Amino acid sequence: MAALAVSGLRALKRLCSVALFLSQLYVLSGRGSLMTTKHSQTQSTLAKSLTSTSTNTPYFKAAETTEMPSYVTKCPSNGLCSRLPPDCMTCNTNFSCIYGKPATFDCKVKPHVHCVDQNNNEQENFTINMTCQFCWQLATTDYVCTNSTNCMTVSCPRQRYNATCTVRDHIHCLGNRVFPKMLYCNWTGGYKWSTALALSITLGGFGADRFYLGQWREGLGKLFSFGGLGIWTLIDVLLIGVGYVGPADGSLYI
């Protein structure tokens, strides 16, 4: 009897353990589904809020560029189209023109440029008359070139330098309006020929003329030799008079 009672108690404990395990499993499965439901609801609510937010957010367009081209500042408003600067128009090349002869070219104003004809009527297409020649073939008065202060103007043979030339605004020509050109050194440092000659005649024995021209070594030589006993002074008068002796920086006299 005692053995049967002990075995019955053990079976009862096992049964209670199984029942407890099943109850815990049921509770966990219920909470998990509840949490899953709540999580899905939260995600859907967040997605709706994002959608509504993105829908209600105003749309800002990129600011359109309203900057005017740089050439507009050179173009007079409501002026004659035939008198516009070349930067304000585009012209078709006249391949039948003869070099050095007058020719007619068909042109059109650039955007943002307004001009009129002889009757004060606004127009876009017009014709201009000009000489058939390239820009680098123009007269020296029709373009402006850079100046160099690093070359000697008084030398034999005369020195040249590479200059960049730009055609004046009112001149029409073919090809590039900015072009390179080899020019003779032609610049001045402010020295006057008349002043140098006067100093050579009056104070040449003390080297005043050489000091004025920036040639201080020769000036010291004349000063301490009393103008080479007068011989050097006479020679300098002749050399400065004919322009052979010039400023030390290589510039021209005024």
Side-chain angles (χ1 to χ4, degrees), residues 46 79 85-86 98 122 145 205 208 210 224:
L46 181 60
I98 302 174
E122 187 172 357
C145 299
R210 293 285 184 165
F224 291 110

Side-chain angles (χ1 to χ4, degrees), residues 5 22-23 33 35 39 43 45 69 96-97 103 107 114 121 132 162 181 183 200 208 213 244:
L22 292 175
S23 63
S33 61
M35 290 176 64
H39 182 65
Q43 286 184 342
T45 305
S96 61
C97 70
C107 302
H114 303 279
N121 296 322
C132 182
N162 292 318
K181 198 166 188 178
L183 298 177
S200 182
L213 296 175
Y244 185 80

Side-chain angles (χ1 to χ4, degrees), residues 3-25:
L4 291 173
V6 172
S7 60
L9 289 173
R10 289 179 179 176
L12 183 60
K13 286 181 179 182
R14 291 178 180 175
L15 184 61
C16 291
S17 300
V18 172
L20 180 62
F21 174 75
L22 292 175
S23 63
Q24 289 180 351
L25 182 62

